[in-house]
């Protein structure tokens, strides 16, 4: 099969017009949380904020989500720790009543009991997402700031699976756990999950104090995530250039080129691959990869803060209105911020010049966090626009064409390969 034939499945497009209806709405139900995670976006605090949306306001928000039309966007209740809200199960059940599917993203605490999970399940939650930032208690608890979180998380994970709940495991990729990623994937494969998401830090909240990865390291990890997609269903969060990697890898698989050479992958990639091989992960048990979904801040994605402010992402602190005053549908469809972010022609720097910008666009949150400009180029992407050697195949894939065949052109040598595809590896 040609690259194009495969590419139809290399990226998943949103089923509906992304300018009309988001794929997902994330609601920060509270900032209260007993943990003190090093990377916390919400800079969570022990007590609830009196300005939070109360039960009536939260139900109104659910009706606003339903107003996007059926099928309504997935509604994810996050925090802080949503278990700090006594009305959690009531809101899940209300979501069902108004036709909105609700998933919950709790913190790993002793409140995550089998009984509580059963209540969520009975109320109708469609899934649970849990954080796992290390394959050992030492690594995970160190990152989360409280001893015992690793054990509570694993117990809740197993209990949720036993109840038949869909579980997504989120891993924050940071310097402390870069080399532990294969072992985390092994845990995901062993315990089972609907999805493993590798989250790439955005310098906001407490995450500001954690060391940044180089674009070269990010590229190595993205290619590792692509590889393990045949072992566990894998995606990324705030690493939109994973879609570029998925397209490149799909084309290179068809041309028979060596991805390490053409993409200039580095020692971290080799190390991750070797560890994955030691753990028996490289063989892969899945027939096909889960194609990454084409969403980005404000394009399929909305975040509603604990006070009701609407943001294109939880990591992009620019607000576009408040659901107490303006309907979410109106903010999403018409606000200057959301319509601007959906316009790939407004992107600057390398993202603005990049042939992948309409399916990638980079992390707008990280661009803002690093430069103060949400349209600036993605600081953690090292791709030099136009440098991938199979431009005709890329163009065909992106236009949805069906007749492109891999070009016959000289392959980059090991010595030159990669260099031209990487710029600004060290920042
Ligand atoms: S330069 Fe920007 S648009 Fe192009 S792949 Fe990198 S992040 Fe994506």
């Amino acid at each position: 099969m040609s690259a194009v034939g495969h590419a139809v499945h290399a990226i998943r497009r949103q089923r509906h017009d992304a300018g009309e209806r988001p794929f997902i709405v994330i609601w920060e139900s509270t900032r209260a949380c007993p943990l003190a995670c090093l990377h916390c976006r919400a800079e969570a605090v022990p007590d609830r904020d009196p300005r939070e949306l109360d039960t009536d306001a939260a139900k109104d928000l659910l009706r606003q989500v339903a107003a996007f039309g059926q099928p309504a966007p997935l509604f994810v209740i996050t925090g802080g720790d949503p278990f700090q809200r006594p009305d959690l199960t009531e809101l899940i059940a209300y979501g069902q009543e108004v036709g909105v599917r609700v998933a919950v993203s709790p913190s790993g605490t002793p409140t995550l009991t089998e009984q509580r999970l059963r209540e969520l399940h009975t109320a109708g939650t469609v899934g649970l997402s849990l954080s796992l930032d290390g394959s050992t208690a030492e690594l995970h608890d160190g990152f989360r700031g409280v001893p015992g979180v690793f054990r509570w998380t694993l117990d809740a994970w197993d209990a949720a699976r036993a109840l038949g709940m869909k579980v997504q495991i989120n891993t924050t990729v940071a310097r402390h756990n870069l080399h532990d990623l294969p072992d985390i994937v092994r845990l995901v494969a062993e315990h089972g999950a609907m999805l493993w998401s590798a989250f790439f830090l955005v310098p906001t909240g407490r995450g500001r104090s954690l060391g940044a990865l180089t674009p070269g390291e990010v590229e190595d990890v993205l290619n590792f995530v692509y590889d393990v997609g045949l072992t566990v269903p894998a995606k990324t969060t705030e690493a939109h250039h994973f879609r570029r990697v998925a397209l490149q890898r799909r084309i290179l698989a068809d041309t028979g080129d060596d991805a390490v050479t053409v993409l200039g992958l580095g020692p971290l990639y080799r190390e991750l691959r070797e560890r994955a091989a030691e753990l028996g992960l490289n063989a892969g048990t899945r027939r096909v990869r889960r194609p990454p979904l084409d969403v980005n801040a404000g394009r399929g994605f909305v975040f509603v803060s604990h006070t009701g402010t609407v943001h294109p992402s939880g990591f992009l602190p620019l607000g576009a209105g408040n659901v107490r005053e303006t309907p979410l549908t109106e903010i999403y469809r018409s606000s200057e911020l959301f319509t601007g972010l959906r316009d790939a022609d407004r992107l600057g720097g390398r993202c603005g010049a990049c042939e992948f910008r309409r399916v990638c666009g980079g992390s707008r949150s990280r661009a803002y966090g690093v430069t103060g400009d949400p349209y600036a180029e993605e600081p953690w992407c090292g791709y030099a626009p136009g440098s991938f050697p199979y431009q005709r195949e890329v163009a065909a894939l992106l236009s949805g064409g069906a007749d492109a065949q891999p070009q016959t052109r000289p392959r980059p040598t090991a010595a030159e390969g990669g260099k031209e595809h990487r710029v600004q590896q060290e920042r």
Side-chain angles (χ1 to χ4, degrees):
M1 185 183 283
S2 77
V4 172
H6 285 302
V8 173
H9 307 293
I11 304 254
R12 216 156 31 109
R13 305 277 188 177
Q14 293 175 62
R15 284 199 192 138
H16 305 280
D17 178 355
E20 283 295 306
R21 186 187 308 188
F23 170 75
I24 193 165
V25 177
I26 310 272
W27 174 46
E28 179 189 55
S29 58
T30 180
R31 285 197 161 180
C33 180
L35 303 184
C37 303
L38 294 176
H39 67 296
C40 186
R41 161 194 55 72
E43 301 195 63
V45 289
D47 300 315
R48 292 182 61 192
D49 186 331
R51 297 171 303 163
E52 281 173 12
L53 301 186
D54 63 13
T55 305
D56 284 346
K59 286 183 175 177
D60 185 53
L61 174 58
L62 281 160
R63 290 192 295 274
Q64 293 185 37
V65 173
F68 279 108
Q70 288 296 323
L74 177 65
F75 187 75
V76 180
I77 304 182
T78 183
D81 181 14
F83 273 31
Q84 302 291 314
R85 293 214 34 146
D87 56 0
L88 182 58
T89 46
E90 181 182 345
L91 294 175
I92 294 167
Y94 188 73
Q96 285 234 310
E97 219 177 296
V98 297
V100 175
R101 295 165 303 136
V102 179
V104 180
S105 178
S107 304
T109 72
T111 57
L112 267 178
T113 59
E114 198 259 348
Q115 174 59 27
R116 287 290 277 146
L117 292 171
R118 189 182 294 280
E119 285 166 18
L120 299 192
H121 190 47
T122 306
T125 187
V126 297
L128 188 76
S129 68
L130 297 170
S131 296
L132 184 75
D133 299 321
S135 65
T136 64
E138 191 189 354
L139 277 168
H140 183 75
D141 293 356
F143 194 69
R144 295 274 148 187
V146 175
V149 180
F150 181 74
R151 190 68 261 160
W152 297 324
T153 300
L154 254 56
D155 288 348
W157 183 357
D158 290 339
R161 294 273 299 156
L163 286 166
M165 296 173 81
K166 290 181 176 166
V167 178
Q168 174 174 326
I169 298 297
N170 302 323
T171 297
T172 302
V173 178
R175 196 154 289 290
H176 84 288
N177 69 356
L178 271 184
H179 307 282
D180 190 42
L181 293 173
D183 291 80
I184 293 174
V185 171
R186 178 184 53 85
L187 272 184
V188 174
E190 280 174 8
H191 289 256
M194 174 193 67
L195 194 55
W196 176 59
S197 174
F199 164 68
F200 288 72
L201 270 172
V202 174
T204 185
R206 287 197 279 265
R208 269 195 198 90
S209 60
L210 294 171
L213 305 185
T214 66
E217 287 170 331
V218 172
E219 202 73 15
D220 287 351
V221 176
L222 292 180
N223 277 274
F224 169 74
V225 174
Y226 183 81
D227 291 342
V228 298
L230 285 181
T231 302
V232 296
K235 73 180 267 280
T236 58
T237 301
E238 294 299 342
H240 307 278
H241 39 318
F242 183 57
R243 295 194 283 273
R244 186 247 305 152
V245 168
L247 287 167
Q248 289 174 311
R249 293 289 301 269
R250 184 61 266 161
I251 291 170
L252 295 177
D254 282 341
T255 60
D257 284 89
D258 175 29
V260 174
T261 304
V262 177
L263 302 179
L265 304 181
L268 176 61
Y269 176 73
R270 290 192 185 88
E271 186 203 318
L272 294 173
R273 287 284 295 172
E274 279 164 23
R275 179 63 185 150
E278 281 168 26
L279 296 171
L281 300 175
N282 284 352
T285 49
R286 292 165 52 77
R287 211 170 43 80
V288 288
R289 289 181 169 78
R290 175 190 182 277
L293 182 66
D294 179 19
V295 292
N296 206 328
R299 181 161 62 82
F301 197 98
V302 193
F303 179 86
V304 181
S305 82
H306 67 301
T307 56
T309 320
V310 179
H311 304 269
S313 148
F315 301 93
L316 184 46
L318 296 174
N322 192 296
V323 294
R324 295 183 203 264
E325 292 145 15
T326 314
L328 186 60
T329 43
E330 189 180 322
I331 296 172
Y332 180 82
R333 290 171 181 159
S334 320
S335 69
E336 204 278 330
L337 182 60
F338 277 72
T339 53
L341 287 170
R342 287 195 288 267
D343 181 0
D345 293 332
R346 286 189 66 168
L347 296 175
R350 282 178 295 116
C351 288
C354 183
E355 65 272 30
F356 293 99
R357 69 186 183 282
R358 293 188 200 288
V359 288
C360 171
S363 166
R364 298 298 95 220
S365 307
R366 193 174 298 106
Y368 180 80
V370 171
T371 71
D373 175 5
Y375 299 102
E377 70 182 24
E378 156 72 87
W380 281 16
C381 176
Y383 180 68
S387 65
F388 186 60
Y390 295 102
Q391 288 292 315
R392 206 183 94 195
E393 284 74 9
V394 171
L397 294 188
L398 296 178
S399 67
D403 58 354
Q405 295 298 322
Q407 296 173 29
T408 49
R409 56 174 287 170
R411 294 173 185 176
T413 64
E416 69 186 4
K419 279 195 192 140
E420 63 180 304
H421 307 300
R422 290 259 193 103
V423 293
Q424 301 170 326
Q425 292 203 5
E426 308 292 333
R427 286 188 178 217

